[in-house]
Amino acid sequence: MEKKEGMELIADLLEQKTKRLEIIQILEERDVPTSSAYRWHLEAYKEHEWEEEPDKKESQILLDKKLAIDCLRDQLNKSLAEDDTEKIVSLSSELLKAHKTARSF
């Protein structure tokens, strides 16, 4: 799947209030690499949110923090399901750092 097609699909799914993890799984089923799926989702999510709340920069910052933490949490849950100890330790550390950073500003 090409990026343009994927971005359009994500925009449609966001309009339908589809959860991020479901969107990522749909993209993966269409042979989009996981890392690309998360990047595309983030890009489409930002565009979608700015269209809905163009003057809410502070709100957008909070949403970005939440999205970043949610992405790490999703990856951690996937690693837990796969029993990948190395990834679990790494992602747990990253998640704790993200929480600490999010609270600092």
Side-chain angles (χ1 to χ4, degrees):
M1 171 181 285
E2 296 294 323
K3 182 177 180 179
K4 182 179 178 182
E5 181 184 353
M7 295 294 287
E8 290 170 2
L9 174 61
I10 295 168
D12 291 341
L13 292 170
L14 287 172
E15 289 294 322
Q16 298 170 20
K17 306 292 186 205
T18 306
K19 295 184 185 290
R20 180 185 66 257
L21 189 55
E22 292 171 4
I23 293 172
I24 300 304
Q25 289 171 343
I26 290 168
L27 292 171
E28 288 175 332
E29 288 169 2
R30 296 179 184 200
D31 297 324
V32 175
T34 303
S35 58
S36 295
Y38 276 101
R39 277 195 310 275
W40 294 0
H41 176 272
L42 180 59
E43 189 177 327
Y45 177 81
K46 285 181 178 181
E47 287 176 20
H48 177 73
E49 289 301 313
W50 280 114
E51 289 172 6
E52 290 188 357
E53 299 180 33
D55 297 325
K56 307 277 185 185
K57 287 185 181 179
E58 193 164 314
S59 172
Q60 184 63 41
I61 291 170
L62 294 174
L63 288 171
D64 288 347
K65 288 180 192 180
K66 183 182 179 324
L67 181 62
I69 289 170
D70 286 348
C71 286
L72 282 170
R73 190 176 295 118
D74 287 346
Q75 291 177 344
L76 177 59
N77 287 335
K78 187 174 181 180
S79 296
L80 285 167
E82 295 171 352
D83 200 28
D84 186 342
T85 307
E86 188 175 314
K87 277 187 177 180
I88 292 169
V89 171
S90 174
L91 289 167
S92 296
S93 175
E94 289 299 317
L95 186 59
L96 289 172
K97 288 178 190 175
H99 275 287
K100 183 177 178 181
T101 302
R103 279 186 254 136
S104 69
F105 59 91

